[in-house]
Amino acid sequence: MEALNDMFANSRCSFVLFGLFVLFASAMTSLAHAKTQQHEFVIQATPVKRLCKTHKSITVNGQYPGPTLEVNNGDTMIVKVTNKARYNVTIHWHGIRQMRTGWADGPEFVTQCPIRPGGSYTYRFTIQGQEGTLWWHAHSSWLRATVYGALIIRPKEGDSYPFTKPKRETPILLGEWWDANPIDVVREATRTGGAPNVSDAYTINGQPGDLYNCSNQDTYIVPIDSGETNLLRVINAALNQPLFFTVANHKLTVVGADASYTKPFTTSVLMLGPGQTTDVLINGDQPPARYYLAALAYASAPNAPFDNTTTTAILEYKSAPCAAKNCSASKPVMPPLPAFNDTATVTAFSKSFRSPRKVEVPTQIDENLFFTIGLGLNKCPKNFGSSRCQGPNGTRFTASMNNESFVLPSNISILQAYQQGIPGVFTSDFPANPPLKFDYTGNVSRSLWQPVPGTKGYKLKFGSRVQVVLQDTSIFTPENHPIHLHGYDFYIIAEGFGNFNPNTDTAKFNLVDPPLRNTVAVPVNGWAVIRFVADNPGAWLLHCHLDVHINWGLAMVFLVDNGVGELQSIESPPTDLPLC
């Protein structure tokens, strides 16, 4: 019997050792597959001709849009950015979690001082647990009008998509083009206090398409063949405009958004706020021909001007009758387009998103925050002439969260000041609730139209469970606001219209399979509720991704404390971090 017990003890020990060996081997295999990718970005002025006119546009490596970066989950990125342009610049890796590497996040004066003309900075970060489509863009003034590109994260080597592998993949970058220098456009608006000029065209992969002057010979072609399933990685890189996207005669099956997989659902129209990405499968199940892909504005703010044009690309079947010859004679099929103010379609689309399975949503909440978001109007300062107060009724446009209009520092970044304990750069008293409760989506008292300027953050303990109610307001005008949180993904657990009511609207919370996103389109005249765990120390910007609104102050910063030990603390700043 004793011998038998010894045998069992030995076999148990061998089993444990074997299990440890298997775990160690799989960890080593995973590490072996992870790669370090090195890239060089040169920011420079490049002649770009669109709409019959050539502009000296700011580009990366002379490309517009910039280079597509393709990585695997687990890879480390090292990107050296050299600034040969005449403007300050930073690069933001939109949606990358940046675990403990906030120095690589990119927003100007939040996590770094800008890269000055002639300077350089190397961004270093690791992709951790993310798969799908993200993108990168300048986070300095309006440079992202032309400085942007796709960032595609494939599964780790040996892993696969949770859907049938597509025959081919095509990034679809939706952009906005000004027949002018975008920096001049925003500077003029800043000078006058009015709204900036709207864009002159939208683009797909940098090309306006057939419906604009001097554009049809360069219209982007998306190839497909009968029986193929292709993956379109759709990115809204526009500065100021949420966009509808549709393809003539083809259904789109949504399988991912913001580098998180979704429970698949089928739709004929997407709506993406600036900053959002959506992965869709498209089947080559129509008669071989040419079909337009089209994008146009979703303009939710009543009476606000917008670019009411339509950009197109062409889905071309390789076996289409004209494919071997000149196709220009055969006009592609045009899809039916939604009305610019079709909020019902937007609502049905956004409510279709679910995580593929049950997820761990924070249920016990440590920080219950309520942020109003919206525009405002500042009275004309006494020392300003009328030419500098061209907003409505002689005012200057502004924007705010909880009546605080965010002002960027100018001599050091918030993250440096936070990490090094430098006083006088920011305060950490951003209000957890609006200073005054009011009918947020009704008639708002004019006394609330002028917010308080300041550089305020809200402190979060490491590991705290956070809920934020984002409430649109009708100050000046209600609008669909794409709100982006740096350094985090969050669960969107509910959205609705009118004023959020904590007594009744909690019944709408989805705590089972809500979608995981990094940018939420807060409904016009409505609200959205997000939750996340503050497990990434640093200074993280929460802002509207309509660039005109961040210029006006629609932003705040979460200041997340270090946790315990090195693995819960932000890394030391890199030696080449730009100086202000």
Side-chain angles (χ1 to χ4, degrees), residues 26-182:
S26 76
M28 288 298 98
T29 304
S30 170
L31 283 172
H33 281 159
K35 299 184 292 291
T36 297
Q37 291 206 27
Q38 303 208 29
H39 298 273
E40 292 212 8
F41 277 12
V42 177
I43 313 289
Q44 60 193 28
T46 304
V48 178
K49 187 175 185 180
R50 296 291 185 275
L51 308 182
C52 321
K53 205 190 306 183
T54 299
H55 293 276
K56 278 282 194 129
S57 299
I58 306 302
T59 66
V60 170
N61 300 350
Q63 299 174 42
Y64 166 67
T68 294
L69 302 183
E70 301 188 38
V71 300
N72 290 86
N73 182 1
D75 286 357
T76 294
M77 303 286 290
I78 299 175
V79 187
K80 182 181 180 182
V81 177
T82 301
N83 185 6
K84 293 187 177 178
R86 59 193 175 105
Y87 305 109
N88 292 341
V89 74
T90 64
I91 299 292
H92 170 52
W93 314 93
H94 185 110
I96 295 290
R97 283 293 319 267
Q98 297 291 1
M99 300 300 293
R100 304 176 51 238
T101 52
W103 308 107
D105 189 44
E108 183 178 65
F109 294 116
V110 178
T111 60
Q112 68 168 97
C113 296
I115 307 168
R116 304 289 182 188
S120 66
Y121 176 49
T122 300
Y123 294 88
R124 295 175 173 86
F125 55 91
T126 299
I127 316 286
Q128 297 184 49
Q130 295 183 279
E131 295 176 13
T133 304
L134 294 175
W135 62 302
W136 56 264
H137 60 80
H139 212 296
S140 193
S141 185
W142 274 23
L143 283 184
R144 79 173 178 89
T146 51
V147 178
Y148 63 86
L151 176 52
I152 294 168
I153 309 171
R154 296 207 164 79
K156 291 179 180 176
E157 285 186 29
D159 290 355
S160 57
Y161 296 130
F163 45 82
T164 305
K165 188 177 180 189
K167 179 70 189 253
R168 73 179 82 232
E169 303 179 9
T170 308
I172 301 289
L173 289 130
L174 309 177
E176 218 171 346
W177 177 264
W178 276 261
D179 197 12
N181 178 352

Side-chain angles (χ1 to χ4, degrees), residues 245-290:
F245 175 81
T246 186
V247 183
N249 292 19
H250 289 74
K251 291 287 188 189
L252 304 169
T253 300
V254 176
V255 292
D258 292 1
S260 291
Y261 295 119
T262 62
K263 195 170 283 180
F265 68 93
T266 301
T267 180
S268 57
V269 180
L270 314 179
M271 195 291 284
L272 298 92
Q276 292 187 315
T277 74
T278 308
D279 292 345
V280 296
L281 296 174
I282 185 167
N283 292 320
D285 55 6
Q286 294 301 304
R290 304 166 85 233

